[in-house]
Amino acid sequence: MHRKIEVCLTPALLDLYTIEDSIVVVIDVLRATSSMVYGLDNGALAIIPVAQVEDCLLYKDMGHLLAAERNGEVVEGYDFGNSPFSYTKEKVAGKTVVLTTTNGTKALHMARTRAHQVVIGSFLNLEFLCKWLKQQDKDVLLLCAGWKDQFNLEDTLFAGAVVSELRSSFSHFDDSSVAAEDLYILAKKDLRNYMMKSSHSHRLAALNIEEDVKFCLQLNICQTIPVLQGDELVALDFN
């Protein structure tokens, strides 16, 4: 099987890729996709990603938790934002979360219009995601959410980690995949230190949420792969 793996470095480039028969992995490791993985791993029934802050209000009277983040901060009047520490068992187990973020939910909505399937990746579920991708008979596109349609370091590093894990199972790699993997190999011995170079890391530091960054860089603490079914992200059923 000649499967290909590609890395789209920003959603602004997504139209250049043919993804109708591909699994698209949406990546926004600081912090949206990390929180999605962690929330579903902690028993959330579903996470509904919406594009705009106002869209959350459509769900106001349904008993759901409403989460909205813009520019790294919780939008005033909402239950929480996209800090993984808001997605603990105590807060989300048995509940549905409606979430909008600056970059991650936008990338997700762009991917869903054409992709064969959309799943969510983070360092928290790296091993389980890669194991599952190896078993699928599909090409893979790793979609980096970036920062406001620009390239960012942290999502590219994660894409490189996936490429590194999948290299033996795929035969075609684009140049973005090669670059992402090289970057990850350079950084993997001390991800946090390397990430200090990233602009978003500096944004989050200014908001005093260094603990969020450290949390999102943990490897393989979750065994859940969020998958988009209709309008909802739910835990992938491995059976």
Side-chain angles (χ1 to χ4, degrees), residues 47-100:
I47 295 173
I48 302 174
V50 296
Q52 304 297 329
V53 172
E54 298 75 24
D55 295 336
C56 281
L57 297 177
L58 300 174
Y59 297 86
K60 188 175 183 181
D61 300 321
M62 297 183 184
H64 299 336
L65 295 171
L66 304 184
E69 169 270 335
R70 284 296 180 270
N71 299 316
E73 298 185 279
V74 179
V75 178
E76 189 176 345
Y78 289 81
D79 294 309
F80 45 82
N82 66 348
S83 167
F85 295 111
S86 297
Y87 291 76
T88 59
K89 275 191 174 70
E90 294 75 22
K91 292 183 179 179
V92 303
K95 297 184 181 299
T96 294
V97 181
V98 183
L99 171 66
T100 183

Short mmCIF file of all heavy atoms in Angstrom, two decimals, residues 47-100:
data_model
loop_
_atom_site.label_atom_id
_atom_site.label_comp_id
_atom_site.label_asym_id
_atom_site.label_seq_id
_atom_site.Cartn_x
_atom_site.Cartn_y
_atom_site.Cartn_z
N ILE A 47 -17.60 17.07 22.71
CA ILE A 47 -17.18 18.47 22.61
C ILE A 47 -17.67 18.98 21.26
O ILE A 47 -17.39 18.37 20.22
CB ILE A 47 -15.65 18.61 22.73
CG1 ILE A 47 -15.20 18.18 24.13
CG2 ILE A 47 -15.21 20.05 22.44
CD1 ILE A 47 -13.69 18.12 24.31
N ILE A 48 -18.44 20.05 21.28
CA ILE A 48 -18.98 20.62 20.06
C ILE A 48 -18.14 21.84 19.69
O ILE A 48 -18.20 22.87 20.36
CB ILE A 48 -20.46 21.02 20.23
CG1 ILE A 48 -21.29 19.82 20.64
CG2 ILE A 48 -20.99 21.63 18.93
CD1 ILE A 48 -22.74 20.15 20.98
N PRO A 49 -17.31 21.73 18.64
CA PRO A 49 -16.50 22.88 18.24
C PRO A 49 -17.31 23.84 17.38
O PRO A 49 -17.94 23.43 16.40
CB PRO A 49 -15.37 22.22 17.43
CG PRO A 49 -15.98 20.98 16.87
CD PRO A 49 -17.07 20.55 17.79
N VAL A 50 -17.33 25.10 17.74
CA VAL A 50 -18.03 26.10 16.93
C VAL A 50 -17.05 27.20 16.52
O VAL A 50 -16.05 27.43 17.19
CB VAL A 50 -19.24 26.71 17.68
CG1 VAL A 50 -20.29 25.63 17.96
CG2 VAL A 50 -18.82 27.37 18.98
N ALA A 51 -17.35 27.85 15.41
CA ALA A 51 -16.39 28.78 14.82
C ALA A 51 -16.35 30.12 15.54
O ALA A 51 -15.28 30.71 15.71
CB ALA A 51 -16.73 28.99 13.34
N GLN A 52 -17.50 30.62 15.96
CA GLN A 52 -17.56 31.97 16.53
C GLN A 52 -18.02 31.93 17.98
O GLN A 52 -18.77 31.04 18.39
CB GLN A 52 -18.53 32.85 15.71
CG GLN A 52 -18.21 32.94 14.23
CD GLN A 52 -16.86 33.58 13.96
OE1 GLN A 52 -16.42 34.44 14.72
NE2 GLN A 52 -16.20 33.15 12.88
N VAL A 53 -17.60 32.95 18.73
CA VAL A 53 -18.02 33.07 20.13
C VAL A 53 -19.54 33.08 20.22
O VAL A 53 -20.14 32.42 21.08
CB VAL A 53 -17.42 34.34 20.77
CG1 VAL A 53 -18.00 34.57 22.16
CG2 VAL A 53 -15.90 34.22 20.86
N GLU A 54 -20.18 33.82 19.32
CA GLU A 54 -21.63 33.96 19.36
C GLU A 54 -22.33 32.61 19.18
O GLU A 54 -23.45 32.41 19.68
CB GLU A 54 -22.11 34.94 18.28
CG GLU A 54 -21.59 36.36 18.43
CD GLU A 54 -20.13 36.50 18.02
OE1 GLU A 54 -19.64 35.67 17.22
OE2 GLU A 54 -19.46 37.42 18.54
N ASP A 55 -21.69 31.71 18.44
CA ASP A 55 -22.30 30.40 18.19
C ASP A 55 -22.49 29.60 19.47
O ASP A 55 -23.39 28.76 19.56
CB ASP A 55 -21.44 29.59 17.20
CG ASP A 55 -21.39 30.24 15.83
OD1 ASP A 55 -22.31 31.00 15.50
OD2 ASP A 55 -20.42 29.98 15.09
N CYS A 56 -21.63 29.85 20.45
CA CYS A 56 -21.77 29.15 21.74
C CYS A 56 -23.13 29.44 22.36
O CYS A 56 -23.74 28.58 23.00
CB CYS A 56 -20.68 29.60 22.72
SG CYS A 56 -19.06 28.87 22.46
N LEU A 57 -23.61 30.67 22.17
CA LEU A 57 -24.85 31.08 22.83
C LEU A 57 -26.07 30.32 22.32
O LEU A 57 -27.09 30.25 22.99
CB LEU A 57 -25.05 32.59 22.64
CG LEU A 57 -23.97 33.48 23.27
CD1 LEU A 57 -24.22 34.94 22.97
CD2 LEU A 57 -23.89 33.25 24.78
N LEU A 58 -25.95 29.73 21.13
CA LEU A 58 -27.05 28.93 20.59
C LEU A 58 -27.33 27.71 21.46
O LEU A 58 -28.40 27.13 21.42
CB LEU A 58 -26.73 28.48 19.16
CG LEU A 58 -26.50 29.59 18.13
CD1 LEU A 58 -26.05 29.00 16.80
CD2 LEU A 58 -27.76 30.43 17.94
N TYR A 59 -26.33 27.33 22.27
CA TYR A 59 -26.44 26.14 23.11
C TYR A 59 -26.68 26.50 24.58
O TYR A 59 -26.66 25.63 25.45
CB TYR A 59 -25.15 25.32 23.02
CG TYR A 59 -24.87 24.78 21.63
CD1 TYR A 59 -24.20 25.55 20.68
CD2 TYR A 59 -25.25 23.49 21.27
CE1 TYR A 59 -23.93 25.05 19.41
CE2 TYR A 59 -25.00 22.99 20.00
CZ TYR A 59 -24.33 23.78 19.08
OH TYR A 59 -24.08 23.29 17.83
N LYS A 60 -26.96 27.77 24.83
CA LYS A 60 -27.01 28.28 26.20
C LYS A 60 -28.03 27.56 27.09
O LYS A 60 -27.77 27.30 28.27
CB LYS A 60 -27.31 29.79 26.18
CG LYS A 60 -27.20 30.46 27.54
CD LYS A 60 -27.39 31.95 27.41
CE LYS A 60 -27.19 32.65 28.77
NZ LYS A 60 -27.40 34.10 28.67
N ASP A 61 -29.17 27.21 26.54
CA ASP A 61 -30.25 26.63 27.36
C ASP A 61 -30.33 25.11 27.26
O ASP A 61 -31.36 24.51 27.58
CB ASP A 61 -31.60 27.26 26.94
CG ASP A 61 -31.61 28.76 27.14
OD1 ASP A 61 -31.05 29.22 28.16
OD2 ASP A 61 -32.16 29.48 26.28
N MET A 62 -29.24 24.49 26.83
CA MET A 62 -29.25 23.03 26.66
C MET A 62 -28.54 22.30 27.78
O MET A 62 -28.38 21.08 27.73
CB MET A 62 -28.61 22.67 25.31
CG MET A 62 -29.35 23.21 24.11
SD MET A 62 -28.60 22.65 22.56
CE MET A 62 -29.59 23.53 21.36
N GLY A 63 -28.07 23.03 28.77
CA GLY A 63 -27.38 22.39 29.88
C GLY A 63 -25.93 22.05 29.60
O GLY A 63 -25.30 21.31 30.36
N HIS A 64 -25.38 22.56 28.51
CA HIS A 64 -23.99 22.30 28.16
C HIS A 64 -23.06 23.31 28.84
O HIS A 64 -23.48 24.41 29.20
CB HIS A 64 -23.78 22.39 26.64
CG HIS A 64 -24.59 21.41 25.85
ND1 HIS A 64 -25.07 20.23 26.38
CD2 HIS A 64 -25.00 21.44 24.55
CE1 HIS A 64 -25.73 19.57 25.44
NE2 HIS A 64 -25.71 20.29 24.33
N LEU A 65 -21.80 22.92 28.99
CA LEU A 65 -20.78 23.87 29.41
C LEU A 65 -20.33 24.68 28.21
O LEU A 65 -20.11 24.14 27.13
CB LEU A 65 -19.57 23.11 30.00
CG LEU A 65 -19.82 22.32 31.27
CD1 LEU A 65 -18.61 21.45 31.60
CD2 LEU A 65 -20.13 23.26 32.44
N LEU A 66 -20.20 25.98 28.37
CA LEU A 66 -19.82 26.86 27.27
C LEU A 66 -18.39 27.36 27.48
O LEU A 66 -18.08 27.94 28.52
CB LEU A 66 -20.77 28.05 27.17
CG LEU A 66 -22.27 27.73 27.03
CD1 LEU A 66 -23.07 29.01 26.85
CD2 LEU A 66 -22.52 26.77 25.87
N ALA A 67 -17.55 27.11 26.50
CA ALA A 67 -16.13 27.46 26.62
C ALA A 67 -15.72 28.32 25.42
O ALA A 67 -15.95 27.94 24.27
CB ALA A 67 -15.27 26.19 26.68
N ALA A 68 -15.10 29.47 25.70
CA ALA A 68 -14.69 30.37 24.63
C ALA A 68 -13.35 31.00 24.97
O ALA A 68 -13.14 31.50 26.08
CB ALA A 68 -15.75 31.46 24.41
N GLU A 69 -12.44 30.94 23.99
CA GLU A 69 -11.10 31.54 24.15
C GLU A 69 -10.79 32.39 22.92
O GLU A 69 -11.09 32.00 21.80
CB GLU A 69 -10.06 30.43 24.29
CG GLU A 69 -8.60 30.90 24.21
CD GLU A 69 -8.06 30.90 22.77
OE1 GLU A 69 -8.57 30.13 21.93
OE2 GLU A 69 -7.14 31.70 22.50
N ARG A 70 -10.22 33.56 23.17
CA ARG A 70 -9.70 34.39 22.11
C ARG A 70 -8.38 35.01 22.58
O ARG A 70 -8.29 35.54 23.69
CB ARG A 70 -10.68 35.51 21.73
CG ARG A 70 -11.88 35.02 20.89
CD ARG A 70 -11.46 34.48 19.53
NE ARG A 70 -12.57 34.02 18.71
CZ ARG A 70 -13.07 32.79 18.70
NH1 ARG A 70 -12.55 31.88 19.53
NH2 ARG A 70 -14.04 32.44 17.88
N ASN A 71 -7.37 34.89 21.73
CA ASN A 71 -6.05 35.44 22.02
C ASN A 71 -5.47 34.93 23.34
O ASN A 71 -4.76 35.64 24.05
CB ASN A 71 -6.09 36.98 22.03
CG ASN A 71 -6.52 37.53 20.68
OD1 ASN A 71 -6.04 37.07 19.64
ND2 ASN A 71 -7.43 38.48 20.68
N GLY A 72 -5.80 33.67 23.67
CA GLY A 72 -5.23 33.03 24.85
C GLY A 72 -6.01 33.25 26.13
O GLY A 72 -5.68 32.66 27.16
N GLU A 73 -7.07 34.05 26.09
CA GLU A 73 -7.81 34.37 27.31
C GLU A 73 -9.25 33.89 27.23
O GLU A 73 -9.84 33.80 26.15
CB GLU A 73 -7.78 35.88 27.56
CG GLU A 73 -6.38 36.44 27.77
CD GLU A 73 -6.39 37.92 28.13
OE1 GLU A 73 -6.50 38.74 27.21
OE2 GLU A 73 -6.28 38.22 29.32
N VAL A 74 -9.83 33.60 28.41
CA VAL A 74 -11.23 33.20 28.49
C VAL A 74 -12.09 34.41 28.11
O VAL A 74 -11.86 35.52 28.60
CB VAL A 74 -11.59 32.73 29.92
CG1 VAL A 74 -13.07 32.34 29.99
CG2 VAL A 74 -10.71 31.56 30.33
N VAL A 75 -13.08 34.19 27.24
CA VAL A 75 -14.00 35.26 26.89
C VAL A 75 -14.93 35.49 28.07
O VAL A 75 -15.48 34.54 28.65
CB VAL A 75 -14.81 34.91 25.63
CG1 VAL A 75 -15.82 36.01 25.30
CG2 VAL A 75 -13.86 34.69 24.45
N GLU A 76 -15.12 36.75 28.43
CA GLU A 76 -15.92 37.10 29.61
C GLU A 76 -17.34 36.55 29.49
O GLU A 76 -17.97 36.62 28.43
CB GLU A 76 -15.98 38.63 29.74
CG GLU A 76 -16.60 39.10 31.04
CD GLU A 76 -16.56 40.62 31.20
OE1 GLU A 76 -15.81 41.27 30.45
OE2 GLU A 76 -17.29 41.12 32.06
N GLY A 77 -17.80 35.94 30.58
CA GLY A 77 -19.16 35.43 30.62
C GLY A 77 -19.29 33.95 30.30
O GLY A 77 -20.39 33.40 30.37
N TYR A 78 -18.16 33.30 29.97
CA TYR A 78 -18.20 31.87 29.63
C TYR A 78 -17.64 31.03 30.78
O TYR A 78 -16.90 31.53 31.63
CB TYR A 78 -17.46 31.62 28.32
CG TYR A 78 -18.23 32.17 27.14
CD1 TYR A 78 -18.19 33.52 26.82
CD2 TYR A 78 -19.06 31.34 26.40
CE1 TYR A 78 -18.95 34.04 25.78
CE2 TYR A 78 -19.81 31.83 25.35
CZ TYR A 78 -19.75 33.19 25.05
OH TYR A 78 -20.51 33.69 24.02
N ASP A 79 -18.01 29.74 30.78
CA ASP A 79 -17.63 28.87 31.90
C ASP A 79 -16.12 28.72 32.01
O ASP A 79 -15.56 28.73 33.10
CB ASP A 79 -18.27 27.48 31.73
CG ASP A 79 -19.79 27.55 31.83
OD1 ASP A 79 -20.28 28.14 32.81
OD2 ASP A 79 -20.47 27.03 30.94
N PHE A 80 -15.45 28.57 30.87
CA PHE A 80 -13.98 28.49 30.85
C PHE A 80 -13.50 28.64 29.41
O PHE A 80 -14.30 28.87 28.50
CB PHE A 80 -13.45 27.20 31.50
CG PHE A 80 -14.16 25.94 31.10
CD1 PHE A 80 -13.86 25.29 29.92
CD2 PHE A 80 -15.12 25.37 31.94
CE1 PHE A 80 -14.50 24.11 29.56
CE2 PHE A 80 -15.77 24.19 31.59
CZ PHE A 80 -15.46 23.56 30.40
N GLY A 81 -12.18 28.52 29.24
CA GLY A 81 -11.60 28.68 27.91
C GLY A 81 -11.06 27.36 27.40
O GLY A 81 -11.79 26.37 27.34
N ASN A 82 -9.77 27.35 27.06
CA ASN A 82 -9.21 26.09 26.55
C ASN A 82 -7.99 25.64 27.34
O ASN A 82 -7.14 24.94 26.83
CB ASN A 82 -8.89 26.20 25.05
CG ASN A 82 -7.78 27.18 24.76
OD1 ASN A 82 -7.38 27.96 25.62
ND2 ASN A 82 -7.26 27.17 23.54
N SER A 83 -7.95 26.00 28.62
CA SER A 83 -6.92 25.44 29.49
C SER A 83 -7.24 23.99 29.79
O SER A 83 -8.39 23.67 30.14
CB SER A 83 -6.84 26.21 30.81
OG SER A 83 -6.06 25.49 31.75
N PRO A 84 -6.28 23.09 29.66
CA PRO A 84 -6.56 21.68 29.98
C PRO A 84 -7.01 21.47 31.41
O PRO A 84 -7.74 20.51 31.71
CB PRO A 84 -5.23 20.97 29.70
CG PRO A 84 -4.19 22.05 29.73
CD PRO A 84 -4.87 23.28 29.25
N PHE A 85 -6.63 22.38 32.31
CA PHE A 85 -7.02 22.23 33.72
C PHE A 85 -8.51 22.49 33.93
O PHE A 85 -9.04 22.23 35.00
CB PHE A 85 -6.18 23.15 34.60
CG PHE A 85 -4.72 22.78 34.61
CD1 PHE A 85 -3.78 23.61 34.01
CD2 PHE A 85 -4.29 21.60 35.17
CE1 PHE A 85 -2.44 23.27 33.98
CE2 PHE A 85 -2.94 21.24 35.15
CZ PHE A 85 -2.02 22.08 34.56
N SER A 86 -9.20 22.98 32.91
CA SER A 86 -10.65 23.14 32.97
C SER A 86 -11.39 21.89 32.51
O SER A 86 -12.62 21.83 32.58
CB SER A 86 -11.09 24.33 32.10
OG SER A 86 -10.54 25.54 32.57
N TYR A 87 -10.63 20.89 32.04
CA TYR A 87 -11.26 19.71 31.45
C TYR A 87 -11.01 18.46 32.30
O TYR A 87 -10.83 17.36 31.78
CB TYR A 87 -10.74 19.52 30.02
CG TYR A 87 -11.24 20.61 29.09
CD1 TYR A 87 -10.68 21.88 29.12
CD2 TYR A 87 -12.29 20.37 28.22
CE1 TYR A 87 -11.15 22.90 28.30
CE2 TYR A 87 -12.77 21.38 27.38
CZ TYR A 87 -12.19 22.64 27.44
OH TYR A 87 -12.68 23.65 26.62
N THR A 88 -11.01 18.64 33.60
CA THR A 88 -10.81 17.53 34.54
C THR A 88 -12.09 16.71 34.67
O THR A 88 -13.18 17.17 34.30
CB THR A 88 -10.42 18.06 35.93
OG1 THR A 88 -11.47 18.92 36.39
CG2 THR A 88 -9.11 18.84 35.87
N LYS A 89 -11.95 15.51 35.23
CA LYS A 89 -13.12 14.64 35.46
C LYS A 89 -14.20 15.37 36.25
O LYS A 89 -15.39 15.27 35.94
CB LYS A 89 -12.69 13.39 36.24
CG LYS A 89 -12.14 12.27 35.39
CD LYS A 89 -12.02 11.00 36.22
CE LYS A 89 -11.60 9.80 35.36
NZ LYS A 89 -10.22 9.90 34.89
N GLU A 90 -13.77 16.10 37.28
CA GLU A 90 -14.73 16.77 38.16
C GLU A 90 -15.59 17.78 37.40
O GLU A 90 -16.75 18.00 37.73
CB GLU A 90 -13.99 17.50 39.29
CG GLU A 90 -13.24 16.60 40.26
CD GLU A 90 -11.95 16.02 39.69
OE1 GLU A 90 -11.40 16.59 38.72
OE2 GLU A 90 -11.50 14.98 40.20
N LYS A 91 -15.02 18.38 36.37
CA LYS A 91 -15.74 19.44 35.65
C LYS A 91 -16.51 18.96 34.43
O LYS A 91 -17.57 19.49 34.11
CB LYS A 91 -14.76 20.54 35.23
CG LYS A 91 -14.19 21.31 36.41
CD LYS A 91 -13.26 22.43 35.94
CE LYS A 91 -12.70 23.20 37.13
NZ LYS A 91 -11.79 24.27 36.72
N VAL A 92 -15.99 17.94 33.73
CA VAL A 92 -16.58 17.62 32.43
C VAL A 92 -17.20 16.23 32.31
O VAL A 92 -17.91 15.96 31.34
CB VAL A 92 -15.55 17.80 31.28
CG1 VAL A 92 -14.99 19.21 31.28
CG2 VAL A 92 -14.42 16.75 31.37
N ALA A 93 -16.93 15.33 33.26
CA ALA A 93 -17.46 13.97 33.14
C ALA A 93 -18.98 13.99 32.98
O ALA A 93 -19.69 14.64 33.75
CB ALA A 93 -17.06 13.13 34.35
N GLY A 94 -19.47 13.30 31.95
CA GLY A 94 -20.91 13.21 31.72
C GLY A 94 -21.53 14.45 31.09
O GLY A 94 -22.75 14.51 30.93
N LYS A 95 -20.71 15.41 30.71
CA LYS A 95 -21.23 16.67 30.17
C LYS A 95 -20.78 16.87 28.73
O LYS A 95 -19.80 16.28 28.27
CB LYS A 95 -20.78 17.86 31.02
CG LYS A 95 -21.29 17.82 32.46
CD LYS A 95 -20.88 19.07 33.20
CE LYS A 95 -21.38 19.04 34.65
NZ LYS A 95 -22.84 18.98 34.76
N THR A 96 -21.50 17.74 28.04
CA THR A 96 -21.10 18.17 26.70
C THR A 96 -20.56 19.59 26.79
O THR A 96 -21.14 20.44 27.46
CB THR A 96 -22.30 18.13 25.73
OG1 THR A 96 -22.70 16.77 25.55
CG2 THR A 96 -21.95 18.72 24.37
N VAL A 97 -19.42 19.81 26.13
CA VAL A 97 -18.77 21.13 26.14
C VAL A 97 -18.89 21.74 24.75
O VAL A 97 -18.58 21.10 23.75
CB VAL A 97 -17.27 21.01 26.52
CG1 VAL A 97 -16.62 22.40 26.55
CG2 VAL A 97 -17.09 20.31 27.87
N VAL A 98 -19.36 22.97 24.69
CA VAL A 98 -19.38 23.73 23.44
C VAL A 98 -18.17 24.67 23.47
O VAL A 98 -18.04 25.47 24.38
CB VAL A 98 -20.68 24.52 23.28
CG1 VAL A 98 -20.71 25.24 21.93
CG2 VAL A 98 -21.89 23.61 23.41
N LEU A 99 -17.29 24.55 22.47
CA LEU A 99 -15.99 25.22 22.53
C LEU A 99 -15.69 26.01 21.26
O LEU A 99 -15.88 25.53 20.15
CB LEU A 99 -14.89 24.16 22.74
CG LEU A 99 -13.43 24.62 22.63
CD1 LEU A 99 -13.06 25.59 23.76
CD2 LEU A 99 -12.49 23.42 22.64
N THR A 100 -15.20 27.22 21.44
CA THR A 100 -14.64 27.98 20.33
C THR A 100 -13.28 28.54 20.75
O THR A 100 -13.12 28.99 21.88
CB THR A 100 -15.57 29.12 19.86
OG1 THR A 100 -14.98 29.77 18.72
CG2 THR A 100 -15.84 30.15 20.95
#
